[in-house]
C-alpha cells in the first residue's frame, strides 16, 4: 500500500488540493499546507518510490530563494498594482458615469441602444481600468436603474452588464493577461497584442446578440424615449466633425511622413485629435454653436479615456514602454483625469491605495502558496505525470486544446482566475510547448476561457458584484416616481447563460482561427524567392581553401588533393584563406624542392577511398613537403 502511494504521489497530491479547496479553505493557505504536508510524506516514502520521488529535508532551504527570486524580484508582476490603482482612480473619478450617459444618448434612438452603450463602455473601461469588479459595480449602479426604468427585460439587462464588465479579463491591459504571460514565460506586450483582436471580436459578438434580440424580441430592448434624450439630436454634426478630423489626419500624415517615417500616422493622429478636442471645448465654453450639444459631449467625454488607452497600450505596442512603465504612466494619467474633473481628493486616493494593497497582497500570497506547492509537486515528478497525461490524449494538438478548455471551464465553477493562473497554467504549459503550440495563442485561449469564471451561475464573481448593487427590494424610481420591482438572483443567473454560450463560441473561434492571435509575430517572411549561392573560384575561393586540406576533397565541387595526403605547396596551415568570390591572388613562386627521405612502407600504402589520405601525415595541419 505504501509503495502504491509513493509511486502515485502526484495524482494523490493534486486530488488532495481539490478537496482542500472544496472544503472552502483560502487558496493561498490550501496551497501552502498541501505542499508542506506532502513534502513530509514524500521525504518519508522516497525509499519506496523507485526513484519517482526526489525530495529531501535540505530542499526546504530552496523555499526562500523561490519566494524572493520568483515573487519579489519579478518585475512583470509590478504592473499589477499600477493597473489596479489606475482602474480604481478612474472608477472614483466618475468616468464610467459620463461615458454611459453620453453613449446612451448617442445610441438612444436605436432599439437596444442602452445595451449597446453598456457593451461599448464596458470595452472602454476594460481598456482603461482592467479591473472587473470596478467595471461591473460602476455599470450596475449607473445603467441598471436606467435600463429598468425604460422597460428593458431584467435578464437581458443583468446579463449585458455582467458580461460587459468581464471584458476587462481579455481586453488589454488585463491583469489576467499579465499573470498568464508571467506563468507562461512570455512577453506581456506580445500577450496584449495577441489578445486585442479576440477581445474586440468578442465585443462585436455581444453587440450582435443585442441586435438579434432587437429583431426577434424587440419589446425586451426598447429604444430610449425622446423625452429622455436630454442632449437632443445632432449626429450629423458629429459625423462632420469626424470627417474634418479625418481630413486633418490625412494632410498631416503626408506632411510628417518625410520627417517621422512609419511613425507619421501616430503623430498625425495625435495632432488631429487634439485639434478636434480643443475646438469642441472652446465651442462649448464660448457657446459659439459650431457643433451640436451631442457632438460636443461625445468628443469631450470620449477623447480623454481614448488618450489614456493610447498612453498605456500605444506606448507598449510601439515598444516605447514596458508594461510596467505603461502601467505607471496610466496611473499618473488617471490622477490627471480625476484632477481635471475636480474629483481628486484624499478620500479617492486613500480608497484606491487600500484596494490596490488588498489585491496585490492577495496575488502575492497566492503566488507564495503556489511556489511551495510546486516545489513539492515537481519533487514527486508531478509535471511529468501531467505532461504524459495530456500529451497522450487522442487528437494531437486539437484534442489537447479541447480537453484543456473543458478542464478549465469546469474548474472555473470553483476557482478564481488568479487561482487558475497560478495552479493550473504552470502544469499545462510544458505539455502545450511539447506539442508545438504557440504559448501566446494558448494563453489567449485560456484567458477567454477563464473569463467564464466570472459568468458561471451560480459561482461567477461578476454575478456576485452585480447582485451586491442590484435592488433586492421594491423601490421608487427617482425620475418617473413609479414603484419598481426588485431584480431576482434567478434573473441575473439566467441572463448570464446566453453570454456564457457566446464565450464558449469565442473559444472555438480562437482555436479554429489562430491567426487572430498570431498576428503579434508580425508579417510572415516569404522564403520562396530566397537563394543561397556558394561562390566558386580558384585557389582563393572556398573551393581552393578547403580543397587543400590534405586530401579531404572539396565539398564545393573543386578537385580534391592527390591521394596519399599530399598537401599543396607552402603546407603547414589550412591552405589559403577564402576570398568569397574575389579575384584570386597571384600564384606564389614555386619553392625549391626539398630533399626527400627514402620512402618507408608506411608512406607508400594506398590512400583510403574518398581521398582522405590516411597514409600520410595529418592533412594540412603542419606537414610540409
Amino acid at each position: 500500500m505504501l509503495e502504491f502511494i509513493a509511486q502515485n504521489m502526484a495524482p494523490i497530491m493534486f486530488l488532495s488540493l481539490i478537496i482542500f479547496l472544496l472544503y472552502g479553505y483560502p487558496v493561498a493557505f490550501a496551497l501552502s499546507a498541501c505542499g508542506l504536508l506532502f513534502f513530509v510524506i514524500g521525504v518519508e516514502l522516497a525509499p519506496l518510490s523507485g526513484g519517482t520521488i526526489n525530495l529531501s529535508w535540505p530542499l526546504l532551504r530552496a523555499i526562500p530563494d523561490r519566494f524572493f527570486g520568483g515573487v519579489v524580484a519579478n518585475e512583470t508582476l509590478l504592473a499589477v498594482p499600477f493597473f489596479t490603482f489606475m482602474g480604481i482612480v478612474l472608477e472614483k473619478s466618475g468616468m464610467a458615469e459620463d461615458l454611459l450617459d453620453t453613449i446612451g444618448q448617442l445610441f438612444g434612438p436605436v432599439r437596444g441602444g442602452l445595451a449597446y452603450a453598456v457593451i461599448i463602455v464596458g470595452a472602454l473601461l476594460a481598456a482603461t481600468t482592467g479591473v472587473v469588479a470596478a467595471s461591473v459595480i460602476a455599470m450596475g449602479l449607473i445603467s441598471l436603474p436606467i435600463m429598468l426604468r425604460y422597460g428593458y427585460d431584467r435578464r437581458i439587462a443583468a446579463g449585458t452588464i455582467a458580461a460587459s464588465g468581464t471584458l476587462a479579463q481579455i481586453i488589454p491591459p488585463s491583469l489576467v493577461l499579465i499573470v498568464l504571460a508571467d506563468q507562461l514565460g512570455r512577453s506581456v506586450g506580445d500577450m496584449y497584442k495577441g489578445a486585442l483582436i479576440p477581445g474586440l471580436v468578442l465585443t462585436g459578438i455581444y453587440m450582435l446578440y443585442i441586435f438579434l434580440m432587437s429583431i426577434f424580441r424587440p419589446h425586451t430592448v426598447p429604444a430610449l424615449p425622446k423625452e429622455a434624450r436630454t442632449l437632443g439630436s445632432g449626429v450629423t454634426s458629429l459625423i462632420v466633425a469626424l470627417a474634418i478630423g479625418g481630413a486633418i489626419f490625412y494632410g498631416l500624415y503626408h506632411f510628417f511622413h518625410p520627417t517621422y517615417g512609419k511613425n507619421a500616422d501616430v503623430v498625425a493622429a495625435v495632432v488631429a485629435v487634439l485639434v478636434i478636442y480643443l475646438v469642441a471645448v472652446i465651442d462649448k465654453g464660448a457657446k459659439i454653436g459650431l457643433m451640436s450639444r451631442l457632438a460636443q459631449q461625445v468628443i469631450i467625454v470620449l477623447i480623454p479615456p481614448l488618450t489614456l488607452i493610447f498612453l498605456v497600450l500605444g506606448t507598449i505596442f510601439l515598444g516605447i514602454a514596458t508594461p510596467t512603465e505603461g502601467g505607471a504612466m496610466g496611473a499618473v494619467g488617471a490622477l490627471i483625469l480625476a484632477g481635471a474633473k475636480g474629483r481628486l481628493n484624499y478620500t479617492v486616493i486613500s480608497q484606491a491605495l487600500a484596494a490596490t494593497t488588498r489585491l496585490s497582497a492577495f496575488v502575492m500570497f497566492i503566488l507564495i502558496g503556489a511556489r511551495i506547492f510546486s516545489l513539492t509537486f515537481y519533487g514527486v515528478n508531478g509535471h511529468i505525470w501531467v505532461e504524459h497525461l495530456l500529451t497522450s490524449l487522442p487528437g494531437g494538438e486539437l484534442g489537447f486544446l479541447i480537453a484543456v478548455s473543458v478542464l478549465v471551464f469546469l474548474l472555473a465553477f470553483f476557482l478564481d482566475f488568479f487561482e487558475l493562473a497560478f495552479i493550473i497554467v504552470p502544469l499545462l504549459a510544458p505539455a502545450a510547448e511539447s506539442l508545438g503550440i504557440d504559448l501566446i495563442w494558448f494563453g489567449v485561449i485560456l484567458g477567454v476561457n477563464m473569463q467564464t469564471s466570472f459568468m458561471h451561475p451560480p459561482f461567477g464573481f461578476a454575478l456576485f458584484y452585480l447582485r451586491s448593487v442590484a435592488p433586492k427590494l421594491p423601490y421608487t424610481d427617482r425620475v418617473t416616481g413609479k414603484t419598481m420591482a426588485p431584480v431576482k438572483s434567478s434573473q441575473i443567473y439566467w441572463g448570464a447563460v446566453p453570454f456564457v454560450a457566446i464565450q464558449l463560441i469565442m473559444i472555438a473561434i480562437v482555436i479554429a482561427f489562430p491567426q487572430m492571435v498570431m498576428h503579434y509575430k508580425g508579417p510572415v517572411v516569404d522564403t520562396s524567392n530566397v537563394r543561397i549561392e556558394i561562390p566558386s573560384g580558384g585557389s582563393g575561393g572556398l573551393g581552393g581553401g578547403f580543397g587543400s586540406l590534405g586530401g579531404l576533397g572539396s565539398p564545393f565541387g573543386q578537385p580534391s588533393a592527390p591521394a596519399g595526403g599530399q598537401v599543396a605547396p607552402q603546407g603547414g596551415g589550412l591552405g589559403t584563406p577564402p576570398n568569397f568570390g574575389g579575384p584570386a591572388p597571384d600564384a606564389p613562386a614555386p619553392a625549391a624542392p626539398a630533399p626527400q627521405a627514402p620512402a618507408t612502407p608506411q608512406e607508400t600504402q594506398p590512400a583510403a577511398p574518398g581521398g582522405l589520405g590516411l597514409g600520410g601525415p595529418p592533412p594540412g595541419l603542419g606537414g610540409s613537403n
Side-chain angles (χ1 to χ4, degrees):
M1 182 64 180
L2 291 178
E3 291 182 1
F4 176 81
I5 295 174
Q7 294 172 3
N8 295 275
M9 183 73 76
I12 294 173
M13 184 177 178
F14 188 74
L15 292 175
S16 300
L17 175 63
I18 294 177
I19 293 173
F20 269 96
L21 296 176
L22 290 178
Y23 266 98
Y25 288 104
V27 176
F29 302 123
L31 284 168
S32 303
C34 193
L36 292 175
L37 174 63
F38 279 90
F39 187 94
V40 175
I41 297 174
V43 171
E44 297 298 326
L45 296 183
L48 305 175
S49 66
T52 59
I53 296 179
N54 303 300
L55 295 175
S56 60
W57 293 116
L59 195 60
L60 285 174
R61 300 171 187 168
I63 291 179
D65 180 67
R66 290 174 64 82
F67 170 62
F68 286 100
V71 181
V72 177
N74 193 330
E75 293 186 3
T76 301
L77 294 178
L78 189 61
V80 172
F82 283 133
F83 284 120
T84 305
F85 181 80
M86 179 182 76
I88 300 299
V89 170
L90 288 176
E91 187 257 329
K92 300 295 183 184
S93 70
M95 184 185 72
E97 183 177 354
D98 295 340
L99 285 171
L100 279 168
D101 180 59
T102 302
I103 298 180
Q105 296 276 338
L106 180 63
F107 286 92
V110 183
R111 286 191 182 276
L114 283 176
Y116 292 136
V118 168
I119 294 171
I120 293 172
V121 171
L124 289 173
L125 290 179
T128 49
T129 65
V131 182
V132 174
S135 299
V136 174
I137 291 174
M139 291 191 296
L141 287 172
I142 300 164
S143 63
L144 185 59
I146 301 175
M147 298 174 84
L148 298 181
R149 179 184 306 150
Y150 296 113
Y152 270 71
D153 183 271
R154 280 169 162 69
R155 289 175 295 180
I156 292 179
T160 303
I161 293 171
S164 302
T166 61
L167 288 173
Q169 288 278 96
I170 194 63
I171 294 180
S174 164
L175 300 181
V176 177
L177 298 179
I178 296 174
V179 175
L180 282 174
D182 176 69
Q183 295 298 301
L184 293 171
R186 291 297 182 266
S187 163
V188 177
D190 288 344
M191 189 67 77
Y192 279 178
K193 291 178 184 177
L196 184 60
I197 290 180
L200 295 178
V201 171
L202 182 60
T203 305
I205 297 177
Y206 284 172
M207 298 180 72
L208 177 62
Y209 169 71
I210 298 300
F211 175 73
L212 293 176
M213 295 301 295
S214 67
I215 293 177
F216 296 106
R217 298 185 63 192
H219 63 281
T220 60
V221 284
L224 200 64
K226 190 171 183 179
E227 61 272 13
R229 297 178 226 154
T230 56
L231 294 178
S233 58
V235 177
T236 304
S237 176
L238 179 62
I239 294 174
V240 171
L242 294 177
I244 293 174
I248 295 173
F249 166 77
Y250 181 78
L252 291 176
Y253 173 76
H254 289 281
F255 178 77
F256 287 128
H257 190 270
T259 305
Y260 294 97
K262 63 180 183 180
N263 291 329
D265 53 349
V266 177
V267 179
V270 170
V271 176
V273 168
L274 184 61
V275 168
I276 294 298
Y277 182 74
L278 289 177
V279 169
V281 171
I282 294 172
D283 185 46
K284 183 178 181 180
K287 298 181 180 180
I288 300 174
L290 294 175
M291 301 179 183
S292 64
R293 289 182 58 205
L294 180 63
Q296 291 173 357
Q297 190 70 7
V298 169
I299 292 173
I300 293 173
V301 168
L302 275 182
I303 286 182
L306 291 176
T307 303
L308 187 61
I309 292 171
F310 172 76
L311 180 67
V312 176
L313 297 182
T315 53
I316 294 174
F317 290 165
L318 293 174
I320 300 173
T322 65
T324 302
E325 294 165 348
M329 289 191 296
V332 174
L335 291 173
I336 293 173
L337 287 181
K341 291 179 176 291
R343 298 177 181 176
L344 184 63
N345 51 46
Y346 174 78
T347 303
V348 169
I349 295 178
S350 63
Q351 290 177 350
L353 288 174
T356 302
T357 304
R358 281 195 301 270
L359 183 61
S360 301
F362 170 75
V363 171
M364 182 169 289
F365 270 97
I366 290 182
L367 190 52
I368 292 171
R371 290 285 175 175
I372 297 174
F373 178 85
S374 64
L375 176 68
T376 304
F377 197 70
Y378 278 64
V380 298
N381 287 332
H383 58 297
I384 298 176
W385 169 70
V386 173
E387 184 174 344
H388 288 173
L389 180 66
L390 294 175
T391 54
S392 61
L393 291 170
E397 178 183 301
L398 181 61
F400 170 81
L401 291 175
I402 293 174
V404 167
S405 297
V406 172
L407 173 67
V408 174
F409 180 79
L410 294 176
L411 289 176
F413 275 101
F414 314 103
L415 300 178
D416 188 8
F417 68 95
F418 276 129
E419 298 155 5
L420 289 170
F422 288 131
I423 300 172
I424 303 300
V425 173
L427 304 179
L428 301 177
E433 196 164 19
S434 67
L435 289 172
I437 297 173
D438 184 272
L439 290 187
I440 296 293
W441 178 39
F442 185 58
V444 173
I445 293 172
L446 291 178
V448 178
N449 207 328
M450 289 180 188
Q451 191 176 347
T452 62
S453 69
F454 276 91
M455 295 289 294
H456 273 315
F459 303 111
F461 283 88
L463 308 182
F464 294 159
Y465 297 146
L466 184 58
R467 174 69 279 175
S468 67
V469 297
K472 302 179 182 64
L473 300 172
Y475 67 99
T476 301
D477 185 74
R478 62 184 180 84
V479 174
T480 61
K482 296 180 180 179
T483 300
M484 308 294 292
V487 177
K488 300 177 182 178
S489 297
S490 60
Q491 293 172 332
I492 296 177
Y493 294 154
W494 281 111
V497 170
F499 291 95
V500 173
I502 289 173
Q503 290 176 212
L504 295 178
I505 294 172
M506 189 65 211
I507 295 171
I509 292 174
V510 176
I511 293 176
F513 302 99
Q515 196 54 41
M516 292 175 64
V517 178
M518 296 299 189
H519 70 90
Y520 81 92
K521 294 183 176 180
V524 179
V525 178
D526 183 12
T527 59
S528 60
N529 297 322
V530 176
R531 298 178 59 191
I532 301 176
E533 297 182 357
I534 305 299
S536 61
S539 60
L542 286 174
F546 284 89
S548 58
L549 291 181
L552 283 174
S554 172
F556 301 106
Q558 298 297 329
S560 61
Q566 299 297 321
V567 297
Q570 304 298 327
L574 291 176
T576 56
N579 64 5
F580 298 98
D586 295 332
Q596 297 187 1
T600 62
Q602 189 179 23
E603 291 175 336
T604 58
Q605 291 178 358
L612 285 175
L614 298 177
L621 296 177
S624 75
N625 291 342

